[in-house]
């Protein structure tokens, strides 16, 4: 879709949703890699009201209608829970805005799907922690999210991306991309390819624990990046888990692990100076504490033991997905510069290497919390 087309469809979508104020601007927003996100600013007298408008990524999410059904089911369920505990459902869960026809999504004239959410007021989402408390708060919030979802009937949910964190299957896709080499980029990344080949077994460890019934399948978020949580702008407390597109049955150790992959890295996910990439053990420990507190004692001893394995697995998986996308011509993750996915793959490789150096310390930390 061209920029002009996106702009014209955005205005069409804006017309379709039913909100009382008048929009005065609608600009690109946030740092997500998947959907096209816009911040809508409205004026209501001298008050300002904000919304998030998103064009869902139809290549990634093949069935956006079912995806929105999931989102409505999950947010309705969370709303009830929040009200029951005396919380504020306008700020503690996403609130989808309906169209004038009363539907939670809009299909535009060229077949793209859009949705709108109320903006979580007085909140921030971060791409990097400001201090350890930010990370602790996000751990508590992601942990409590899975705690709250424990009572939800997961059989109602459609699998929005089949085999999303089936790492052995992701490995097969990666090998296929290497073999097909449609962009002729494989020779240039031989070392990176070798790195993932050498770590094949590490990427099977958690899947094996699940297959052998040593850890349970839970309803998990599956995309627990720091910027998928809103923190209260004043108190810094984690208030709302967002980006609910991949809420599906999954592994708690992967939810934990993806947060570590992104948030305990001392550098950005796409940092080009690899000397800046390390695993902060201080952040790792604070997240273990926050996540376990948030889960409220629900994790089994084996799940706790596997937390470092989850972190390594998710870093390997994500790095391999970035490299696969580089090999396939950058069609999945949004890129903003040449070799962006390759840069991202490099940081993940570097982070895995640092986890390997700090492996015993990571294991000792989780032992303390068993
Ligand atoms: P993607 O799937 O592309 O990552 P997200 O749903 O995570 O898209 O949205 C991208 C960013 O937009 C988030 O990281 C957050 O900063 C912001 N955002 C999304 N929904 C809201 C909301 N309801 N209120 C405030 N900010 C939001
Ligand atoms: C994507 O949508 P976003 O930016 O929160 C991706 C995650 C990756 C992450 C890497 C649906 O997350 O799986 O871990 O990028 N989401 C999807 O930054 O593929
Ligand atoms: Mg996101």
């Amino acid at each position: 879709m061209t920029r002009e087309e996106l702009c014209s469809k955005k205005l069409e979508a804006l017309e379709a949703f039913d909100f009382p104020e008048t929009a005065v601007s609608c600009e690109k927003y946030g740092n997500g890699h998947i959907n096209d996100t816009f911040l809508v600013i409205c004026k209501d007298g001298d008050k300002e009201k904000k919304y998030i408008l998103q064009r869902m990524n139809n290549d990634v999410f093949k069935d956006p209608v079912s995806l929105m059904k999931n989102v409505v089911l999950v947010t309705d369920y969370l709303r009830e829970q929040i009200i029951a505990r005396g919380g504020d459902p306008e700020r503690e869960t996403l609130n989808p805005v309906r169209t004038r026809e009363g539907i939670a999504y809009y299909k535009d004239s060229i077949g793209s799907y859009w949705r709108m959410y109320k903006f979580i007021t007085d909140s921030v989402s971060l791409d990097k922690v400001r201090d350890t408390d930010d990370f602790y708060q996000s751990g508590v919030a992601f942990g409590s999210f899975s705690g709250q979802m424990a009572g939800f009937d997961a059989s109602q949910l459609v699998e929005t991306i089949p085999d999303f964190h089936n790492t052995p299957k992701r490995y097969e896709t990666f090998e296929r991309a290497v073999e097909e080499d449609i962009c002729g980029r494989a020779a240039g990344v031989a070392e990176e390819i070798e790195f993932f080949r050498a770590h094949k077994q590490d990427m099977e460890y958690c899947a094996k624990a699940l297959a052998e019934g040593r850890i349970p399948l839970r309803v998990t978020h599956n995309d627990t990046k720091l910027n998928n949580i809103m923190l209260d702008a004043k108190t810094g407390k984690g208030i709302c888990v967002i980006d609910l597109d991949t809420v599906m049955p999954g592994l708690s150790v992967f939810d934990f692990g993806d947060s570590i992959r992104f948030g305990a890295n001392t550098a950005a996910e796409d940092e080009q100076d690899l000397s800046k990439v390390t695993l902060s053990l201080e952040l790792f420990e604070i997240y273990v504490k926050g996540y376990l507190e948030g889960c409220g004692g629900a994790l089994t001893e084996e799940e706790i033991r596997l937390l470092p394995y989850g972190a390594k697995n998710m870093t390997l998986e994500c790095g391999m997905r970035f490299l696969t996308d580089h090999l396939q011509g950058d069609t999945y993750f949004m890129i903003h510069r040449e070799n962006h996915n390759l840069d991202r793959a490099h940081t993940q490789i570097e982070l895995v290497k640092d986890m390997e150096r700090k492996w015993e310390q990571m294991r000792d930390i989780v032992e303390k919390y068993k």
Side-chain angles (χ1 to χ4, degrees):
M1 186 187 266
T2 63
R3 195 178 279 213
E4 289 72 31
E5 250 179 331
L6 184 62
C7 192
S8 112
K9 295 303 139 196
K10 163 187 97 176
L11 297 177
E12 184 189 321
L14 208 49
E15 262 304 295
F17 286 95
D18 188 16
F19 55 101
E21 308 84 3
T22 311
V24 292
S25 74
C26 177
E27 298 300 329
K28 270 260 185 194
Y29 187 71
N31 291 316
H33 294 343
I34 302 296
N35 299 301
D36 288 310
T37 302
F38 300 89
L39 172 66
V40 181
I41 301 182
C42 300
K43 285 272 181 275
D44 184 11
D46 38 344
K47 271 193 255 145
E48 192 181 83
K49 181 108 194 256
K50 294 192 278 191
Y51 295 91
I52 289 287
L53 178 70
Q54 284 181 323
R55 186 175 80 103
M56 289 178 260
N57 186 326
N58 210 176
D59 296 323
V60 168
F61 301 108
K62 308 284 182 215
D63 183 358
V65 174
S66 299
L67 181 149
M68 284 314 291
K69 246 187 226 157
N70 280 5
V71 169
V72 168
L73 281 169
V74 170
T75 51
D76 281 353
Y77 171 82
L78 290 173
R79 172 170 269 270
E80 270 174 36
Q81 305 244 318
I82 295 162
I83 292 171
R85 65 161 191 263
D88 178 358
E90 294 293 299
R91 291 185 80 224
E92 294 169 36
T93 181
L94 282 174
N95 283 278
V97 176
R98 301 313 197 263
T99 62
R100 295 177 199 278
E101 271 86 51
I103 304 167
Y105 62 87
Y106 172 67
K107 186 178 177 187
D108 71 21
S109 49
I110 56 164
S112 295
Y113 287 82
W114 295 78
R115 66 175 166 215
M116 198 175 197
Y117 291 124
K118 290 185 188 167
F119 194 90
I120 313 288
T121 53
D122 303 315
S123 70
V124 288
S125 84
L126 305 173
D127 288 297
K128 198 168 184 343
V129 293
R130 296 164 299 193
D131 53 38
T132 52
D133 192 54
D134 282 337
F135 207 37
Y136 169 75
Q137 292 298 340
S138 80
V140 174
F142 276 123
S144 354
F145 176 83
S146 54
Q148 283 175 59
M149 292 307 291
F152 181 84
D153 172 12
S155 68
Q156 305 173 83
L157 294 177
V158 170
E159 218 182 344
T160 52
I161 303 180
D163 293 313
F164 189 51
H165 289 315
N166 182 341
T167 320
K169 216 152 183 184
R170 294 260 181 208
Y171 184 84
E172 287 170 23
T173 308
F174 157 72
E175 282 290 10
R176 219 175 311 121
V178 174
E179 199 184 303
E180 290 169 359
D181 193 20
I182 57 167
C183 299
R185 290 175 167 176
V189 291
E191 254 181 56
E192 291 84 344
I193 292 170
E194 198 35 54
F195 181 84
F196 291 108
R197 286 186 172 151
H199 284 82
K200 183 166 184 267
Q201 278 189 350
D202 290 301
M203 291 190 269
E204 293 163 353
Y205 196 81
C206 296
K208 216 161 154 226
L210 173 70
E212 290 168 359
R214 284 188 281 120
I215 52 173
L217 207 53
R218 300 183 185 272
V219 183
T220 47
H221 182 276
N222 295 305
D223 192 359
T224 51
K225 268 161 73 162
L226 183 66
N227 63 16
N228 284 333
I229 191 134
M230 306 306 298
L231 305 178
D232 187 287
K234 287 191 199 83
T235 64
K237 284 215 171 347
I239 44 172
C240 181
V241 168
I242 61 167
D243 203 344
L244 303 173
D245 297 340
T246 50
V247 174
M248 290 181 282
L251 298 186
S252 55
V253 299
F254 285 172
D255 266 8
F256 168 86
D258 202 41
S259 293
I260 297 299
R261 174 194 78 72
F262 189 86
N265 182 352
T266 50
E269 193 184 56
D270 60 355
E271 175 60 59
Q272 289 175 300
D273 177 356
L274 294 178
S275 70
K276 292 186 179 158
V277 177
T278 63
L279 174 85
S280 158
L281 284 172
E282 189 189 9
L283 289 173
F284 179 80
E285 174 150 12
I286 203 78
Y287 198 87
V288 170
K289 186 170 181 291
Y291 188 70
L292 292 180
E293 275 175 27
C295 287
L299 295 201
T300 65
E301 269 203 22
E302 182 65 354
E303 281 176 302
I304 299 175
R305 186 183 76 81
L306 287 183
L307 291 177
Y309 294 85
K312 190 172 175 187
N313 186 315
M314 292 310 283
T315 313
L316 283 164
E317 183 192 278
C318 197
M320 188 172 68
R321 289 173 64 196
F322 288 143
L323 188 60
T324 303
D325 202 25
H326 175 73
L327 291 167
Q328 292 178 331
D330 306 302
T331 56
Y332 186 94
F333 298 103
M334 272 182 215
I335 56 161
H336 307 293
R337 59 174 188 248
E338 210 183 321
N339 290 334
H340 206 164
N341 275 314
L342 182 58
D343 290 342
R344 291 169 177 152
H346 285 153
T347 61
Q348 305 305 291
I349 291 174
E350 212 50 39
L351 191 60
V352 170
K353 288 183 184 166
D354 202 42
M355 285 180 184
E356 288 175 337
R357 284 189 284 270
K358 294 172 175 160
W359 192 244
E360 286 314 314
Q361 287 141 289
M362 288 166 75
R363 287 180 45 139
D364 288 348
I365 288 170
V366 301
E367 274 306 305
K368 287 199 279 182
Y369 291 87
K370 261 192 187 168

